[in-house]
Amino acid sequence: MSITLHWFLPTSGDGRTIVERFHANKSLGAPAQRPADIDYLGQIARAAEQLGFTGVLTPTGTWCEDAWLTTAALIAQTSRLKFLVAFRPGVISPTLAAQMAGTYQRISRGRLLLNVVTGGDAIEQQRFGDWHDHDQRYARTDEFLTIVRGVWSGEPFDFDGAHYRVAGATTLAPPDPAPSVYFGGSSPAALPVAARHADVYLTWGEPPAQVAEKIAKVRALAGGRDIRFGIRLHTISRDSSAEAWAEARKLFEALDPEQVAKAQAQLAASESEGQRRMVELHRGSLGKGVRGLEIYPGLWAGIGLVRGGAGTALVGSHAEVADLIAEYHSLGIDEFVLSGYPHLEEAYWFGEGVRPELARRGLLDRTPALAQA
């Protein structure tokens, strides 16, 4: 079975260092060298499409631009690229979300994917007026997705739960096709919700053994329901391993110890089990040096020293990065949501270097020809 590759839209800004805007506190990072204006994001989106990525993930939070509006503005700048829109179910009506998805599918001609972000940071959630605790948020997401899928049935839908009550919920027309639901979460509260509702279960880039363990848990909870698996990673791929690690060293050496300390203090306060697992991979240590943060051959945890969420990168030659992608695929990972600093240039390094290697191994349906100048 072939794999699916996605890229990332940096809607808080972009640059040549990891610390541009820290997720929950802009003061922890320098202003973005490249602001997230629509022209630059359009460059990345068009490059991703040209290079053969299926879609682009757009994040959610108070530290970035709104994902729905930003990606809707990029529909006309692309022709086939899909938009993996991240959103928080606790801050929007499920009926409205179902309506927005239907409208988006019609105006984009079927190019919407949905990334449901329940939220593991209480401080961030409270900015949106959400005061539920961690487990309540996942219970609410369970009800939210039940209603959304009920509305998408095309028939008036009734629901009376602990968090939502709707009567005759419906929209002009259901989305056609219904967008795939991408869902992450590593806690005991999250995994059953993922097993019930996710089309694609997403995990952050942990070492293969840990990823395999998580896949097994979700599969067991899904009880035979068809579910695909994806992974969120950064990439640093070059013509040689030495060149790739030299780039990782540049990112590492640009980190300021004070910024790392502040970022780690903030991440330690997160209620997210996935975030806790990311932090555990590096434990906030700069003293190990760049190669000391290689937690598995070719898997580097240095990005997580200052970045919340996805904190690991595939580092190596194009063939070495392809090797690790193939290893994750052998465990059951079919979708790879990738990114790199800066996102425009790294899309080309991966698209022109790793993608042909994956195609040669039969892991991709085809290698797109680059558009002629």
Side-chain angles (χ1 to χ4, degrees):
M1 180 179 179
S2 62
I3 63 175
T4 301
L5 300 172
H6 304 283
W7 197 244
F8 184 82
L9 285 178
T11 55
S12 64
D14 200 9
R16 296 182 180 277
T17 62
I18 301 170
V19 182
E20 298 301 330
R21 297 280 183 91
F22 185 70
H23 281 197
N25 188 337
K26 295 177 185 177
S27 67
L28 294 184
Q33 296 168 339
R34 303 177 189 179
D37 62 55
I38 200 65
D39 292 332
Y40 180 61
L41 295 176
Q43 277 188 280
I44 297 173
R46 291 190 299 273
E49 181 171 83
Q50 180 189 49
L51 292 164
F53 291 98
T54 295
V56 284
L57 171 65
T58 309
T60 183
T62 56
W63 49 272
C64 60
E65 298 288 4
D66 176 74
W68 290 98
L69 293 174
T70 302
T71 58
L74 294 172
I75 291 171
Q77 295 197 36
T78 53
S79 60
R80 61 183 181 277
L81 187 71
K82 295 185 179 183
F83 295 98
L84 180 49
V85 173
F87 74 103
R88 297 172 188 262
V91 300
I92 187 173
S93 154
T95 306
L96 178 58
Q99 180 188 44
M100 291 167 66
T103 299
Y104 200 113
Q105 283 295 64
R106 284 185 286 281
I107 66 174
S108 69
R109 294 180 173 86
R111 292 196 276 149
L112 175 66
L113 305 169
L114 290 176
N115 179 29
V116 177
V117 179
T118 297
D121 185 334
I123 295 173
E124 174 77 357
Q125 293 299 122
Q126 289 162 15
R127 292 190 180 113
F128 288 100
D130 178 18
W131 294 83
H132 282 54
D133 66 26
H134 177 275
D135 288 4
Q136 287 175 325
R137 291 195 292 269
Y138 277 102
R140 181 180 58 195
T141 296
D142 193 359
E143 294 186 7
F144 181 97
L145 291 173
T146 298
I147 295 170
V148 167
R149 291 197 185 276
V151 173
W152 285 349
S153 72
E155 300 294 331
F157 185 74
D158 297 335
F159 185 86
D160 189 356
H163 300 278
Y164 294 105
R165 182 181 181 185
V166 299
T170 188
T171 63
L172 172 67
D176 184 21
S180 293
V181 171
Y182 291 66
F183 188 98
S186 301
S187 69
L191 293 178
V193 181
R196 280 191 290 274
H197 295 286
D199 296 304
V200 180
Y201 174 78
L202 279 178
T203 181
W204 287 325
E206 299 176 5
Q210 292 171 241
V211 170
E213 180 183 9
K214 197 179 292 186
I215 288 173
K217 287 182 180 179
V218 175
R219 276 185 173 148
L221 289 167
R225 190 178 77 84
D226 186 30
I227 185 168
R228 303 190 305 280
F229 294 90
I231 194 166
R232 175 78 181 90
L233 290 156
H234 304 278
T235 66
I236 306 173
S237 174
R238 294 295 185 271
D239 295 336
S240 71
S241 181
E243 290 173 284
W245 282 104
E247 291 299 319
R249 185 169 291 105
K250 289 178 185 177
L251 294 177
F252 178 79
E253 291 176 349
L255 297 178
D256 180 270
E258 183 180 357
Q259 291 174 325
V260 173
K262 287 181 179 179
Q264 289 304 304
Q266 200 157 0
L267 293 174
S270 173
E271 298 172 320
S272 166
E273 172 64 12
Q275 185 62 71
R276 184 197 67 77
R277 291 166 70 109
M278 282 282 100
V279 170
E280 188 65 22
L281 296 177
H282 56 71
R283 300 188 180 182
S285 175
L286 279 169
K288 296 178 179 179
V290 63
R291 293 304 292 256
L293 291 165
E294 187 180 16
I295 55 174
Y296 186 82
L299 185 64
W300 185 58
I303 290 174
L305 290 171
V306 290
R307 188 194 193 279
T312 53
L314 305 178
V315 182
S317 68
H318 305 312
E320 289 170 339
V321 170
D323 287 341
L324 197 45
I325 288 174
E327 183 173 356
Y328 280 117
H329 180 55
S330 72
L331 303 176
I333 297 291
D334 294 323
E335 305 212 12
F336 293 79
V337 184
L338 308 170
S339 56
Y341 299 93
H343 289 74
L344 182 60
E345 288 91 325
E346 288 300 330
Y348 278 98
W349 276 111
F350 186 93
E352 296 175 343
V354 182
R355 199 181 195 287
E357 181 69 28
L358 294 170
R360 281 193 290 272
R361 301 181 188 200
L363 293 176
L364 292 173
D365 288 336
R366 63 185 179 88
T367 300
L370 292 177
Q372 297 298 311

